[in-house]
Amino acid sequence: MGSIVWGPEAAEVYDHAYRAMFEPSVLGPMTGVLAALARGGPALEFAAGTGRVALALSARGIAVHGLELSPHMARQMLAKPGASAVPVTIGDMRSARVPGAPFTLVYLVANTIMNVTTQDDQLAVFANAAAHLKPGGCFVVEVIVPQVRRVSPGEKARVFTLEPDHVGIETFDDLAGQIAWSHHWIEAGGRLVRQSAPYRYVWPSELDLMARIAGLRLHDRWAAWDQAPFTSGSDGQVAVFEKPPS
């Protein structure tokens, strides 16, 4: 299945559907951690989307470059204030090379590693991140812990978002291949947009092995951007992988 490309309708309603993720209470801790890991050096965001994180991190004084597969998502970002300071390359995070390497920080947030739907392709993302990093640099991945245990035996779906203007349902379609589908119904501007796409969920230990194969090593793992300890009960993770100093 490869990588998921978001079309024009999804790009137009993305910021509205996820407006809570643009709040300073969300972006503040995230960009604080990323800025500290960048250590004043340049940063590269894989799957930069509509610029939610890249623009906020740039506003902190970090030189940020974006890599985005969907030109429709990138177009939304480039229309925003501050976008002139964040160059964007249209390309696939599995293989595209971005000008300005090596970077001190490469990061991939908002579960987007799962939009790459095979294990080999997820590994290619790690390898491409490592290729863009300078020795001692970090690759940061924010992703949920698979929620299979929340689905009762005999059932295959769960509601993960239930808002007046946004309903999200997750269906577990291929447990052996770790493939689920995310289905969204979003009301914005008086119209209803439906978006469905597959994703490949990935376990923490699997991420660690992908990192090792790509020449990276686990540096930290937290439950969230507030750096709370990661435990067996954590629903999400922020994993920091380091490229060993030469």
Coordinates of all heavy atoms in Angstrom, one line a residue, residues 6-96:
W6 N -2.6 12.6 1.4 CA -3.9 13.3 1.7 C -4.2 14.2 0.5 O -3.5 15.0 0.0 CB -3.7 14.2 3.0 CG -3.3 13.3 4.1 CD1 -2.1 13.3 4.8 CD2 -4.1 12.4 4.8 NE1 -2.1 12.4 5.8 CE2 -3.4 11.8 5.8 CE3 -5.4 11.9 4.7 CZ2 -3.9 10.8 6.7 CZ3 -6.0 11.0 5.5 CH2 -5.1 10.4 6.5
G7 N -5.5 14.1 0.1 CA -6.0 14.9 -1.0 C -6.5 16.3 -0.6 O -6.4 16.7 0.6
P8 N -7.0 17.0 -1.6 CA -7.4 18.4 -1.3 C -8.5 18.6 -0.3 O -8.4 19.5 0.5 CB -7.9 18.9 -2.7 CG -8.2 17.7 -3.5 CD -7.2 16.6 -3.0
E9 N -9.5 17.7 -0.3 CA -10.6 17.9 0.7 C -10.1 17.7 2.2 O -10.4 18.5 3.1 CB -11.7 16.9 0.4 CG -12.7 17.4 -0.6 CD -14.0 16.6 -0.6 OE1 -14.0 15.4 -0.3 OE2 -15.0 17.3 -0.7
A10 N -9.3 16.6 2.3 CA -8.7 16.4 3.7 C -7.8 17.5 4.1 O -7.8 17.9 5.3 CB -7.9 15.1 3.7
A11 N -7.0 18.1 3.2 CA -6.1 19.2 3.5 C -6.9 20.4 4.0 O -6.5 21.1 4.9 CB -5.2 19.5 2.3
E12 N -8.0 20.7 3.3 CA -8.8 21.9 3.6 C -9.4 21.8 4.9 O -9.6 22.9 5.6 CB -9.9 22.0 2.5 CG -9.3 22.5 1.1 CD -10.4 22.4 0.0 OE1 -11.5 22.1 0.4 OE2 -10.0 22.6 -1.1
V13 N -9.8 20.7 5.4 CA -10.5 20.6 6.7 C -9.5 20.1 7.9 O -10.0 20.0 9.0 CB -11.7 19.6 6.7 CG1 -12.7 20.1 5.6 CG2 -11.3 18.2 6.4
Y14 N -8.3 19.9 7.6 CA -7.4 19.3 8.6 C -7.3 20.2 9.8 O -7.4 19.7 10.9 CB -6.0 19.0 8.0 CG -5.0 18.4 8.9 CD1 -4.9 17.0 9.1 CD2 -4.2 19.2 9.8 CE1 -4.1 16.5 10.0 CE2 -3.3 18.6 10.7 CZ -3.3 17.3 10.8 OH -2.4 16.7 11.7
D15 N -7.0 21.5 9.6 CA -6.8 22.4 10.7 C -8.0 22.5 11.6 O -7.9 22.6 12.8 CB -6.3 23.7 10.2 CG -4.9 23.7 9.7 OD1 -4.3 22.6 9.7 OD2 -4.4 24.8 9.4
H16 N -9.2 22.5 10.9 CA -10.4 22.6 11.7 C -10.7 21.3 12.5 O -11.0 21.4 13.7 CB -11.6 22.8 10.7 CG -12.9 22.8 11.4 ND1 -13.4 23.8 12.1 CD2 -13.9 21.8 11.5 CE1 -14.6 23.5 12.6 NE2 -14.9 22.3 12.2
A17 N -10.5 20.2 11.9 CA -10.7 18.9 12.6 C -9.8 18.7 13.8 O -10.2 18.2 14.8 CB -10.6 17.8 11.7
Y18 N -8.6 19.2 13.7 CA -7.6 19.0 14.7 C -7.2 20.3 15.4 O -6.0 20.5 15.9 CB -6.3 18.3 14.2 CG -6.7 16.9 13.6 CD1 -6.9 16.8 12.2 CD2 -6.8 15.9 14.5 CE1 -7.2 15.5 11.7 CE2 -7.1 14.6 14.0 CZ -7.3 14.4 12.6 OH -7.6 13.2 12.1
R19 N -8.1 21.3 15.5 CA -7.8 22.6 16.0 C -7.3 22.5 17.5 O -6.5 23.4 17.9 CB -9.0 23.5 15.9 CG -10.3 23.0 16.6 CD -11.5 23.9 16.1 NE -12.7 23.4 16.7 CZ -13.4 22.4 16.3 NH1 -13.0 21.7 15.2 NH2 -14.6 22.0 16.9
A20 N -7.7 21.5 18.2 CA -7.3 21.4 19.6 C -5.8 21.2 19.7 O -5.1 21.6 20.7 CB -8.0 20.3 20.3
M21 N -5.2 20.6 18.7 CA -3.8 20.3 18.6 C -2.9 21.5 18.3 O -1.7 21.5 18.4 CB -3.5 19.2 17.6 CG -4.3 17.9 17.9 SD -3.9 17.2 19.5 CE -2.2 16.7 19.3
F22 N -3.6 22.6 17.9 CA -2.9 23.9 17.7 C -2.8 24.7 18.9 O -2.2 25.8 18.8 CB -3.6 24.6 16.5 CG -3.4 24.0 15.2 CD1 -4.1 22.9 14.8 CD2 -2.5 24.6 14.3 CE1 -3.9 22.3 13.5 CE2 -2.3 24.0 13.0 CZ -3.0 22.9 12.6
E23 N -3.4 24.3 20.0 CA -3.5 25.1 21.2 C -2.1 25.3 21.8 O -1.3 24.3 21.7 CB -4.4 24.5 22.2 CG -5.9 24.6 21.9 CD -6.4 26.0 21.8 OE1 -5.9 26.9 22.6 OE2 -7.3 26.3 21.0
P24 N -1.7 26.5 22.4 CA -0.4 26.6 23.0 C -0.1 25.6 24.1 O 1.0 25.2 24.2 CB -0.5 28.0 23.6 CG -1.5 28.7 22.7 CD -2.5 27.7 22.4
S25 N -1.2 25.1 24.7 CA -0.9 24.1 25.8 C -0.4 22.8 25.2 O 0.2 22.0 25.9 CB -2.2 23.9 26.6 OG -3.3 23.4 25.7
V26 N -0.7 22.6 23.9 CA -0.2 21.4 23.3 C 1.1 21.6 22.6 O 2.1 20.9 22.7 CB -1.3 20.9 22.2 CG1 -0.7 19.7 21.4 CG2 -2.6 20.5 22.9
L27 N 1.2 22.7 21.8 CA 2.4 23.0 21.1 C 3.6 23.5 21.9 O 4.7 23.2 21.6 CB 2.1 24.1 20.0 CG 1.3 23.6 18.8 CD1 1.0 24.8 17.9 CD2 2.2 22.6 18.0
G28 N 3.2 24.1 23.1 CA 4.3 24.6 23.9 C 5.3 23.5 24.4 O 6.5 23.6 24.2
P29 N 4.7 22.5 25.1 CA 5.6 21.4 25.6 C 6.3 20.7 24.4 O 7.5 20.3 24.5 CB 4.7 20.5 26.3 CG 3.5 21.3 26.7 CD 3.4 22.3 25.6
M30 N 5.6 20.5 23.3 CA 6.2 19.8 22.2 C 7.4 20.5 21.6 O 8.5 20.0 21.4 CB 5.1 19.5 21.1 CG 5.6 18.9 19.9 SD 4.4 18.8 18.5 CE 3.2 17.7 19.2
T31 N 7.2 21.8 21.3 CA 8.2 22.6 20.6 C 9.3 22.9 21.6 O 10.5 23.0 21.2 CB 7.7 23.9 20.0 OG1 7.0 24.6 21.0 CG2 6.7 23.6 18.9
G32 N 9.0 22.9 22.9 CA 10.1 23.1 23.9 C 11.1 21.9 23.9 O 12.3 22.1 23.9
V33 N 10.5 20.7 23.9 CA 11.4 19.5 23.8 C 12.1 19.5 22.5 O 13.4 19.2 22.5 CB 10.5 18.2 23.9 CG1 11.3 17.0 23.6 CG2 9.9 18.1 25.3
L34 N 11.5 19.7 21.4 CA 12.1 19.7 20.1 C 13.2 20.7 20.0 O 14.3 20.5 19.5 CB 11.1 19.9 19.0 CG 10.1 18.7 18.8 CD1 9.1 19.1 17.7 CD2 10.8 17.4 18.4
A35 N 13.0 21.9 20.5 CA 14.0 23.0 20.4 C 15.2 22.6 21.3 O 16.4 22.8 20.9 CB 13.4 24.3 20.9
A36 N 15.0 22.0 22.4 CA 16.1 21.5 23.3 C 16.9 20.5 22.6 O 18.2 20.5 22.6 CB 15.6 21.0 24.6
L37 N 16.3 19.5 21.9 CA 17.0 18.5 21.2 C 17.7 19.0 20.0 O 18.8 18.5 19.6 CB 16.0 17.4 20.8 CG 15.4 16.5 21.9 CD1 14.3 15.6 21.4 CD2 16.5 15.7 22.6
A38 N 17.2 20.1 19.4 CA 17.9 20.7 18.2 C 19.2 21.4 18.6 O 20.1 21.5 17.8 CB 16.9 21.7 17.5
R39 N 19.2 21.8 19.9 CA 20.4 22.4 20.4 C 20.9 23.6 19.5 O 22.1 23.8 19.3 CB 21.6 21.4 20.5 CG 21.2 20.2 21.4 CD 22.4 19.3 21.8 NE 23.2 19.0 20.6 CZ 23.0 17.9 19.8 NH1 21.9 17.1 20.0 NH2 23.8 17.6 18.8
G40 N 20.0 24.3 18.9 CA 20.3 25.5 18.1 C 20.6 25.2 16.7 O 20.8 26.1 15.8
G41 N 20.7 23.9 16.3 CA 21.0 23.5 15.0 C 19.7 23.4 14.1 O 18.6 23.5 14.6
P42 N 19.9 23.0 12.9 CA 18.7 22.9 12.0 C 17.9 21.7 12.2 O 18.4 20.6 12.6 CB 19.4 22.9 10.6 CG 20.7 22.3 10.8 CD 21.1 22.8 12.2
A43 N 16.6 21.8 11.9 CA 15.7 20.6 12.2 C 14.9 20.3 10.9 O 14.7 21.2 10.1 CB 14.7 21.0 13.3
L44 N 14.6 19.1 10.7 CA 13.8 18.6 9.5 C 12.6 17.9 10.0 O 12.7 17.0 10.9 CB 14.7 17.7 8.7 CG 14.0 16.9 7.6 CD1 13.3 17.8 6.6 CD2 14.9 15.9 6.9
E45 N 11.4 18.3 9.6 CA 10.2 17.6 9.9 C 9.7 16.8 8.8 O 9.5 17.3 7.7 CB 9.0 18.6 10.3 CG 7.8 17.9 10.6 CD 6.6 18.7 11.2 OE1 6.8 20.0 11.3 OE2 5.6 18.2 11.5
F46 N 9.7 15.5 9.0 CA 9.1 14.5 8.1 C 7.5 14.7 8.2 O 7.0 14.8 9.3 CB 9.4 13.1 8.4 CG 10.8 12.7 7.9 CD1 11.6 13.5 7.2 CD2 11.2 11.4 8.1 CE1 12.9 13.1 6.8 CE2 12.5 10.9 7.7 CZ 13.3 11.8 7.0
A47 N 6.8 14.7 7.1 CA 5.4 14.8 7.0 C 4.9 16.1 7.7 O 4.2 16.1 8.7 CB 4.7 13.6 7.7
A48 N 5.4 17.2 7.2 CA 5.2 18.5 7.9 C 3.7 19.0 7.8 O 3.3 19.8 8.6 CB 6.1 19.6 7.2
G49 N 2.9 18.4 6.9 CA 1.5 18.7 6.9 C 1.2 20.1 6.6 O 1.8 20.8 5.7
T50 N 0.3 20.7 7.4 CA -0.1 22.1 7.2 C 0.7 23.0 8.1 O 0.4 24.2 8.3 CB -1.6 22.3 7.6 OG1 -1.8 22.0 9.0 CG2 -2.5 21.3 6.8
G51 N 1.8 22.5 8.7 CA 2.8 23.4 9.4 C 2.5 23.6 10.8 O 3.1 24.5 11.4
R52 N 1.6 22.8 11.4 CA 1.3 23.0 12.8 C 2.5 23.1 13.7 O 2.7 24.0 14.5 CB 0.4 21.8 13.3 CG 0.0 21.9 14.8 CD -0.9 20.7 15.2 NE -0.2 19.4 15.1 CZ 0.3 18.8 16.2 NH1 0.2 19.4 17.4 NH2 0.9 17.7 16.1
V53 N 3.5 22.1 13.6 CA 4.6 22.1 14.4 C 5.8 22.9 13.8 O 6.5 23.6 14.5 CB 5.1 20.6 14.7 CG1 6.3 20.6 15.6 CG2 3.9 19.8 15.3
A54 N 6.0 22.7 12.5 CA 7.1 23.4 11.9 C 7.1 24.9 12.1 O 8.1 25.5 12.4 CB 7.2 23.1 10.4
L55 N 5.9 25.5 12.0 CA 5.8 27.0 12.1 C 6.0 27.4 13.6 O 6.7 28.4 13.9 CB 4.5 27.5 11.6 CG 4.2 27.3 10.1 CD1 2.8 27.7 9.7 CD2 5.3 28.1 9.3
A56 N 5.5 26.6 14.5 CA 5.7 26.9 15.9 C 7.1 26.7 16.4 O 7.7 27.5 17.2 CB 4.8 26.0 16.8
L57 N 7.8 25.7 15.8 CA 9.2 25.5 16.2 C 10.1 26.6 15.5 O 11.0 27.1 16.2 CB 9.7 24.1 15.7 CG 11.1 23.7 16.1 CD1 11.3 23.7 17.6 CD2 11.4 22.3 15.5
S58 N 9.7 27.0 14.3 CA 10.5 28.1 13.7 C 10.3 29.4 14.5 O 11.3 30.2 14.6 CB 9.9 28.3 12.2 OG 10.5 29.4 11.6
A59 N 9.2 29.6 15.0 CA 8.9 30.8 15.8 C 9.8 30.8 17.1 O 10.0 31.9 17.7 CB 7.5 30.9 16.2
R60 N 10.3 29.7 17.5 CA 11.3 29.6 18.6 C 12.7 29.9 18.2 O 13.6 29.8 19.0 CB 11.2 28.2 19.3 CG 10.0 28.0 20.2 CD 10.0 26.7 20.8 NE 9.0 26.5 21.8 CZ 9.1 26.6 23.1 NH1 10.3 26.9 23.6 NH2 8.1 26.3 23.9
G61 N 12.9 30.2 16.9 CA 14.3 30.5 16.5 C 15.0 29.3 15.9 O 16.2 29.5 15.6
I62 N 14.4 28.2 15.7 CA 15.0 27.0 15.1 C 14.8 27.1 13.6 O 13.7 27.3 13.1 CB 14.5 25.7 15.7 CG1 14.6 25.7 17.2 CG2 15.1 24.5 15.0 CD1 16.1 25.7 17.7
A63 N 15.9 26.8 12.9 CA 15.8 26.8 11.4 C 15.1 25.4 11.0 O 15.7 24.4 11.3 CB 17.2 26.9 10.8
V64 N 14.0 25.4 10.5 CA 13.2 24.2 10.2 C 13.0 24.1 8.7 O 12.7 25.1 8.0 CB 11.8 24.3 10.9 CG1 11.0 23.0 10.6 CG2 12.0 24.5 12.4
H65 N 13.2 22.9 8.2 CA 12.8 22.5 6.8 C 11.8 21.4 6.9 O 11.8 20.5 7.7 CB 14.1 22.0 6.1 CG 13.9 22.0 4.6 ND1 14.7 22.6 3.7 CD2 12.9 21.4 3.8 CE1 14.3 22.4 2.5 NE2 13.3 21.7 2.5
G66 N 10.8 21.5 6.0 CA 9.7 20.5 6.0 C 9.8 19.6 4.8 O 10.2 20.0 3.7
L67 N 9.4 18.3 5.0 CA 9.3 17.4 3.9 C 7.8 16.9 4.0 O 7.4 16.4 5.0 CB 10.3 16.2 4.1 CG 10.2 15.0 3.1 CD1 10.4 15.5 1.7 CD2 11.1 13.9 3.5
E68 N 7.1 17.0 2.9 CA 5.7 16.6 2.9 C 5.3 16.0 1.5 O 5.7 16.5 0.5 CB 4.8 17.9 3.1 CG 3.3 17.7 2.9 CD 2.8 16.6 3.8 OE1 3.1 16.5 5.0 OE2 1.9 15.8 3.3
L69 N 4.6 14.8 1.6 CA 4.3 14.1 0.5 C 3.1 14.7 -0.3 O 3.0 14.7 -1.5 CB 3.9 12.7 0.9 CG 3.5 11.7 -0.2 CD1 4.7 11.5 -1.2 CD2 3.2 10.3 0.4
S70 N 2.2 15.3 0.4 CA 0.9 15.9 -0.2 C 1.1 17.4 -0.5 O 1.3 18.2 0.4 CB -0.3 15.7 0.8 OG -1.4 16.5 0.3
P71 N 1.1 17.7 -1.8 CA 1.2 19.1 -2.2 C 0.0 19.9 -1.7 O 0.1 21.1 -1.4 CB 1.2 19.1 -3.7 CG 0.7 17.8 -4.1 CD 1.0 16.8 -3.0
H72 N -1.1 19.2 -1.4 CA -2.3 19.9 -0.9 C -2.1 20.3 0.5 O -2.5 21.5 0.9 CB -3.5 19.0 -1.1 CG -3.7 18.4 -2.4 ND1 -4.1 19.1 -3.5 CD2 -3.5 17.1 -2.9 CE1 -4.1 18.3 -4.6 NE2 -3.8 17.1 -4.2
M73 N -1.5 19.5 1.3 CA -1.2 19.8 2.7 C -0.2 21.0 2.7 O -0.3 21.9 3.5 CB -0.7 18.6 3.5 CG -1.7 17.5 3.6 SD -3.1 17.9 4.8 CE -2.3 17.4 6.3
A74 N 0.8 20.8 1.9 CA 1.9 21.9 1.9 C 1.3 23.2 1.5 O 1.8 24.3 2.0 CB 3.0 21.4 1.0
R75 N 0.4 23.2 0.6 CA -0.2 24.5 0.1 C -0.9 25.2 1.2 O -0.9 26.4 1.3 CB -1.2 24.2 -1.0 CG -1.6 25.4 -1.8 CD -2.4 25.0 -3.1 NE -1.6 24.2 -4.0 CZ -1.9 23.0 -4.4 NH1 -3.0 22.4 -3.9 NH2 -1.1 22.3 -5.2
Q76 N -1.6 24.4 2.1 CA -2.2 25.0 3.3 C -1.2 25.7 4.2 O -1.4 26.8 4.7 CB -3.0 24.0 4.1 CG -4.1 23.4 3.3 CD -5.3 24.3 3.1 OE1 -5.6 25.1 3.9 NE2 -5.8 24.3 1.9
M77 N 0.0 25.0 4.4 CA 1.0 25.6 5.2 C 1.6 26.8 4.7 O 1.8 27.8 5.4 CB 2.1 24.5 5.4 CG 3.4 25.0 6.1 SD 4.6 23.7 6.3 CE 6.0 24.6 6.9
L78 N 1.9 26.8 3.4 CA 2.6 28.0 2.7 C 1.8 29.2 2.7 O 2.3 30.3 2.5 CB 3.0 27.6 1.3 CG 4.1 26.4 1.3 CD1 4.3 26.0 -0.2 CD2 5.4 26.9 1.9
A79 N 0.5 29.1 3.0 CA -0.4 30.3 3.0 C -0.4 30.9 4.4 O -1.1 32.0 4.5 CB -1.8 29.9 2.6
K80 N 0.3 30.4 5.3 CA 0.2 30.9 6.7 C 1.3 31.8 7.0 O 2.4 31.8 6.4 CB 0.3 29.7 7.7 CG -0.9 28.8 7.6 CD -0.8 27.6 8.5 CE -2.0 26.6 8.4 NZ -1.9 25.5 9.3
P81 N 1.1 32.7 8.0 CA 2.2 33.6 8.5 C 3.4 32.8 9.0 O 3.2 31.8 9.7 CB 1.5 34.4 9.6 CG 0.0 34.3 9.4 CD -0.2 33.0 8.7
G82 N 4.6 33.3 8.6 CA 5.8 32.7 9.0 C 6.3 31.6 8.1 O 7.4 31.0 8.3
A83 N 5.4 31.2 7.1 CA 5.8 30.1 6.3 C 7.0 30.4 5.4 O 7.7 29.4 4.9 CB 4.6 29.7 5.4
S84 N 7.3 31.6 5.1 CA 8.4 32.0 4.3 C 9.7 31.6 4.9 O 10.8 31.4 4.2 CB 8.4 33.5 4.0 OG 8.5 34.2 5.2
A85 N 9.7 31.4 6.2 CA 11.0 31.0 6.9 C 11.1 29.5 6.9 O 12.2 29.0 7.4 CB 11.0 31.5 8.3
V86 N 10.2 28.7 6.4 CA 10.2 27.2 6.5 C 10.1 26.7 5.1 O 9.0 26.5 4.6 CB 9.1 26.7 7.4 CG1 9.2 25.2 7.5 CG2 9.1 27.3 8.8
P87 N 11.2 26.4 4.4 CA 11.2 25.8 3.1 C 10.6 24.4 3.2 O 10.8 23.7 4.2 CB 12.6 25.8 2.7 CG 13.4 25.9 3.9 CD 12.6 26.7 4.9
V88 N 9.8 24.0 2.2 CA 9.2 22.7 2.1 C 9.6 22.0 0.9 O 9.5 22.5 -0.2 CB 7.6 22.9 2.2 CG1 7.0 21.5 2.1 CG2 7.2 23.6 3.5
T89 N 10.0 20.8 1.0 CA 10.3 19.9 -0.1 C 9.1 18.9 -0.3 O 8.7 18.3 0.7 CB 11.6 19.1 0.1 OG1 12.7 20.0 0.2 CG2 11.8 18.1 -1.0
I90 N 8.6 18.8 -1.5 CA 7.5 17.8 -1.7 C 8.2 16.5 -2.1 O 9.0 16.4 -3.0 CB 6.6 18.3 -2.9 CG1 6.0 19.6 -2.6 CG2 5.5 17.2 -3.2 CD1 5.1 19.6 -1.3
G91 N 7.9 15.5 -1.2 CA 8.6 14.2 -1.5 C 8.2 13.2 -0.4 O 7.5 13.5 0.5
D92 N 8.7 12.0 -0.6 CA 8.3 10.8 0.2 C 9.4 10.7 1.3 O 10.6 10.6 1.0 CB 8.3 9.6 -0.7 CG 7.6 8.4 0.0 OD1 7.9 8.1 1.2 OD2 6.9 7.7 -0.7
M93 N 8.9 10.6 2.5 CA 9.9 10.5 3.6 C 10.6 9.2 3.7 O 11.6 9.0 4.5 CB 9.2 10.8 5.0 CG 8.1 9.8 5.4 SD 7.3 10.3 6.9 CE 6.0 9.1 7.0
R94 N 10.2 8.2 2.9 CA 11.0 7.0 2.8 C 12.3 7.1 2.0 O 13.2 6.4 2.2 CB 10.1 5.9 2.1 CG 8.9 5.5 2.9 CD 8.1 4.5 2.1 NE 7.5 5.2 0.8 CZ 6.8 4.6 -0.1 NH1 6.5 3.3 0.1 NH2 6.4 5.2 -1.1
S95 N 12.4 8.1 1.1 CA 13.5 8.2 0.2 C 14.0 9.6 -0.2 O 15.1 9.7 -0.6 CB 13.2 7.4 -1.1 OG 12.0 7.9 -1.7
A96 N 13.1 10.6 -0.1 CA 13.5 11.9 -0.6 C 14.6 12.5 0.2 O 14.7 12.4 1.5 CB 12.3 12.8 -0.5

